[in-house]
Amino acid sequence: MSDGDEPAVTGEEVRKVADLARVDLTDEEVEQFAEQFEDVLADFETLDEVPEVESEPELVNVMRADEVEEGLTQAEALENASETEDGYFKGPRVS
């Protein structure tokens, strides 16, 4: 937490954040939130004490080489279309 007897989060700071968030707080709620914010900050300080682990993940190439294959002809692609126009699929109007 903080050094000395001074709180890490003051009631004034809580009120400022509440005003920015447009939240009305009672004096009791301000005190309660100040305590909760201090607990959160203490948790962050605890996390700072955890040593970092440096490890390089093993990278594996998951891509495969492109293989050229024979595709459909235009006539085969349009064979089952309900409507076509000038060799293209025809869909409904959108506007």
Side-chain angles (χ1 to χ4, degrees):
M1 279 205 233
S2 62
D3 296 336
D5 294 337
E6 199 172 310
V9 179
T10 65
E12 183 179 316
E13 290 170 322
V14 172
R15 287 185 198 285
K16 182 177 180 179
V17 172
D19 287 341
L20 291 172
R22 297 182 182 164
V23 175
D24 293 328
L25 298 177
T26 64
D27 291 339
E28 184 179 300
E29 290 171 324
V30 168
E31 184 178 315
Q32 182 182 6
F33 279 118
E35 290 173 9
Q36 290 174 350
F37 286 147
E38 282 194 41
D39 291 342
V40 170
L41 292 174
D43 291 341
F44 277 109
E45 287 181 7
T46 302
L47 287 175
D48 286 339
E49 294 171 8
V50 176
E52 291 184 25
V53 177
E54 291 186 32
S55 67
E56 292 288 326
E58 286 190 33
L59 299 177
V60 179
N61 186 1
V62 294
M63 305 298 283
R64 62 171 173 74
D66 288 339
E67 297 176 12
V68 179
E69 295 181 7
E70 193 65 35
L72 298 175
T73 65
Q74 186 173 10
E76 290 171 330
L78 296 173
E79 194 173 273
N80 292 324
S82 58
E83 290 188 62
T84 63
E85 185 176 303
D86 298 327
Y88 297 97
F89 294 99
K90 184 175 180 183
R93 282 202 178 276
V94 180
S95 56

